[in-house]
Amino acid sequence: MADRSSGGTHRTSGRRGILAALALGVLLLGAWAGIATAGALRADGPADTAPVSPKAYSTALPFDLPPAAELRRSPKLVFAHYFTPYPLSLDNEPADRDYYARNYLTPDGEKGKHSAYGGLLRDRPLPAAPEDGDWELAHLRQEIRAARDAGLDGFTLDLLSEAGRHRERAELLLRAAREEDPGFRIQLMPDMTALTAATPGSLADLLADLARQPSAHRLPDGRLVVTPFKAEAKSPEWWRTMMRELETRHGIRTALVPLFLDFTPDRDHYAAISHGLSEWGARSPDRQSGAVADARRAHRLGKIWMHPVSVQDARPNQGLFDEAGNTETLRASWQAAIDARADWVQLTTWNDYSEGSHVAPSLHNGHAYLDLSSYYLTRFKTGTWPTILRDTLYLTARVQFVDDLPPAGRQPQVIRPREGTATPRDTVEVLSFLTAPAEIRTRTGTTTDAYRAPPGVHARLLPLRTGHSSATAVRDGTTTTTVTSRYPVRRPVDRQDLQYYAVTSGRAQR
């Protein structure tokens, strides 16, 4: 058996807990407009908040990203998992006092509901200015532009409910895709950890209703792509019945691509009714071989494979994290997708901030993780590594040491490494993309150093130290690019935050 998903039962219980928390949040939304922000937007470094024009997008990268039309000619597709609880804004308020700031990023939010683990989230979407008119639609269109401009083909849309706010937001996302970019695909992903009461008929009705939107992902032969999350929660016969309901009552043929939390031994039975197979994947750099083996099994069964690519995973409300090794997990999972000759890729996730697994532009990371994904995405879709045209540095580090804990009683539920994850480490990573060899001059806290970096892509680890970190590329006595962390490493800590923060020299820092 290949490596099991890093999500597993943790993912299932986490989804249920998040949904319960968000249900209360919807009821309370807007009721606490005057509550003070508790450190949501730090004065020592907002992320890159200026809008990016399409013309300027490639200049932020170390290479020229091919136009969307060229990338879309590839049969290989790249999606990102869209989680409806965390759109750009929940109330269209300024970022320093919106719902994220008041209730998700502070331990006191939602009447202290998340105080045991220091607040529900540690990061948030890159703040968006309040909009006039239909602001929710405008913000969803903005997210689609961000994904498209990075080279993505679409979103896998996590369907959490048959009715209510998440259903409405799913419909709005499909509409936003149709209006913003008719070529941007929305793959329907019924979440079987949340749709526990669904019947084959009721799920068929939900999918048929959403499939009326032309942005719903279909194969060239017209079949609707359905990618159930935790497909193993229902038997192959249950899924066969659901597809029969879709066809007989709604005239919709289905291309089923079940996604497993555990690539179940019963995969052959699912393969018999499926167009392809997928899994949620591991979130640690040394656990990628399992997905490659599973991809090969899927291909031997004659099915396409949608490969999971992840950045990291840190969940305060579940008290666990995976050791991502700075950008190692992101680079290793992309390389695994390439090595496995995957047909599709799913970035897990676009915006699940409660897992800390997001690649979407965020307050703490700006566009850094999405920019890195654009590099590997180009290789995946074109078969050729992009030519590095601009020196660019990416710097990643945590803002605290792994073993540092808050004062006794301040955060009763502490975050521990997930069983089987890589050994946690305290490191700064300088990831260089260089057109030619250069000297990299570094500073971590008050310690300076230098090393010679080769052309191409090169990672160097440095010890984590309190204060800011920086790196500068120097060639022939001239600085070509430089990067400095926005957020310093601090001691002592008042709550745990075990996500890696990222910054790129390719985008302006403020």
Side-chain angles (χ1 to χ4, degrees):
M1 173 65 68
D3 293 347
R4 292 190 173 190
S5 159
S6 68
T9 56
H10 295 290
R11 175 73 177 185
T12 304
S13 61
R15 276 287 162 91
R16 290 173 179 164
I18 291 297
L19 289 174
L22 291 167
L24 177 60
V26 169
L27 294 175
L28 299 175
L29 184 58
W32 304 308
I35 294 180
T37 302
L41 301 178
R42 288 181 173 174
D44 55 359
D48 44 305
T49 57
V52 179
S53 70
K55 183 177 180 181
Y57 195 91
S58 268
T59 61
L61 305 176
F63 68 102
D64 285 344
L65 182 68
E70 179 181 336
L71 290 173
R72 286 176 181 174
R73 285 197 289 270
S74 170
K76 294 182 180 290
L77 302 178
V78 178
F79 299 90
H81 183 92
Y82 193 93
F83 196 44
T84 54
Y86 304 121
L88 288 187
S89 176
L90 291 159
D91 54 9
N92 203 35
E93 291 291 326
D96 63 345
R97 61 176 184 271
D98 69 357
Y99 201 84
Y100 283 107
R102 299 192 315 269
N103 293 300
Y104 286 168
L105 290 161
T106 168
D108 301 325
E110 294 194 328
K111 296 186 176 180
K113 180 176 182 176
H114 311 292
S115 60
Y117 37 87
L120 180 62
L121 309 182
R122 297 298 186 268
D123 197 5
R124 60 164 296 156
L126 195 63
E131 298 271 357
D132 295 328
D134 193 340
W135 58 271
E136 290 185 277
L137 179 63
H139 284 166
L140 288 171
R141 291 182 66 163
Q142 182 177 330
E143 291 196 83
I144 287 167
R145 287 195 299 273
R148 180 211 48 212
D149 291 348
L152 274 64
D153 294 286
F155 288 142
T156 47
L157 173 57
D158 197 312
L159 302 176
L160 291 167
S161 61
E162 296 179 82
R165 193 69 193 94
H166 296 299
R167 160 75 180 271
E168 294 166 1
R169 192 167 288 143
E171 292 174 343
L172 199 60
L173 182 65
L174 285 155
R175 176 186 164 190
R178 182 194 75 212
E179 295 182 4
E180 182 62 37
D181 181 352
F184 193 84
R185 314 178 194 202
I186 305 297
Q187 192 172 125
L188 302 180
M189 180 171 282
D191 191 324
M192 305 316 292
T193 71
L195 298 173
T196 54
T199 65
S202 69
L203 182 57
D205 291 343
L206 170 64
L207 295 171
D209 193 35
L210 295 174
R212 288 203 298 264
Q213 289 280 3
S215 49
H217 182 204
R218 294 177 183 267
L219 298 182
D221 64 9
R223 284 181 292 165
L224 178 71
V225 179
V226 178
T227 313
F229 179 89
K230 200 185 179 185
E232 67 266 36
K234 303 294 183 182
S235 68
E237 185 54 39
W238 193 96
W239 290 111
R240 194 189 302 273
T241 301
M242 191 281 296
M243 291 190 289
R244 188 165 55 244
E245 292 279 319
L246 255 180
E247 185 166 10
T248 58
R249 294 199 294 111
H250 299 286
I252 297 174
R253 293 181 303 123
T254 306
L256 191 72
V257 184
L259 183 149
F260 302 100
L261 290 188
D262 182 358
F263 196 53
T264 169
D266 292 329
R267 57 185 168 264
D268 292 17
H269 300 297
Y270 287 91
I273 61 169
S274 299
H275 175 69
L277 301 169
S278 185
E279 65 183 29
W280 192 239
R283 306 289 177 84
S284 202
D286 57 351
R287 296 186 62 205
Q288 300 303 315
S289 60
V292 174
D294 291 341
R296 290 169 180 160
R297 291 189 183 98
H299 286 154
R300 284 199 298 270
L301 292 167
K303 306 301 172 182
I304 70 160
W305 174 255
M306 183 165 71
H307 198 90
V309 169
S310 299
V311 174
Q312 59 183 329
D313 195 318
R315 312 181 187 193
N317 69 321
Q318 294 182 54
L320 57 85
F321 76 99
D322 284 282
E323 179 49 60
N326 300 83
T327 68
E328 276 194 57
T329 292
L330 180 62
R331 291 182 284 120
S333 54
W334 263 117
Q335 189 61 54
I338 293 166
D339 292 343
R341 299 182 179 178
D343 305 278
W344 301 348
V345 155
Q346 180 183 210
L347 297 173
T348 54
T349 63
W350 176 256
N351 65 333
D352 192 341
Y353 294 91
S354 53
E355 290 188 354
S357 58
H358 49 282
V359 299
S362 72
L363 178 68
H364 290 162
N365 304 314
H367 287 73
Y369 290 130
L370 191 57
D371 287 353
L372 282 171
S373 286
S374 293
Y375 178 77
Y376 291 92
L377 171 154
T378 301
R379 165 61 178 84
F380 174 73
K381 291 177 73 70
T382 68
T384 303
W385 288 107
T387 300
I388 297 173
L389 303 174
R390 290 168 287 275
D391 289 350
T392 309
L393 302 175
Y394 296 86
L395 190 149
T396 54
R398 291 193 176 99
V399 295
Q400 59 189 238
F401 296 85
V402 171
D403 291 337
D404 281 354
L405 296 176
R410 185 168 180 85
Q411 183 183 320
Q413 181 176 313
V414 296
I415 308 170
R416 303 292 188 189
R418 192 196 303 272
E419 183 179 355
T421 194
T423 302
R425 69 192 199 193
D426 292 319
T427 51
V428 178
E429 181 193 85
V430 179
L431 183 65
S432 57
F433 287 69
L434 298 179
T435 60
E439 181 183 45
I440 307 297
R441 299 175 182 173
T442 64
R443 178 183 292 272
T444 53
T446 60
T447 300
T448 60
D449 204 348
Y451 62 92
R452 190 77 172 167
V457 182
H458 177 76
R460 174 65 66 101
L461 295 180
L462 308 168
L464 189 70
R465 297 183 174 94
T466 56
H468 286 278
S469 298
S470 66
T472 300
V474 179
R475 185 180 298 114
D476 300 327
T478 300
T479 295
T480 65
T481 192
T482 188
V483 66
T484 301
S485 62
R486 295 189 181 95
Y487 300 90
V489 180
R490 290 191 170 100
R491 273 182 163 166
V493 301
D494 60 356
R495 63 173 181 164
Q496 284 179 295
D497 184 356
L498 295 181
Q499 295 180 67
Y500 282 100
Y501 288 44
V503 64
T504 168
S505 68
R507 296 181 185 269
Q509 299 177 59
R510 296 166 176 80

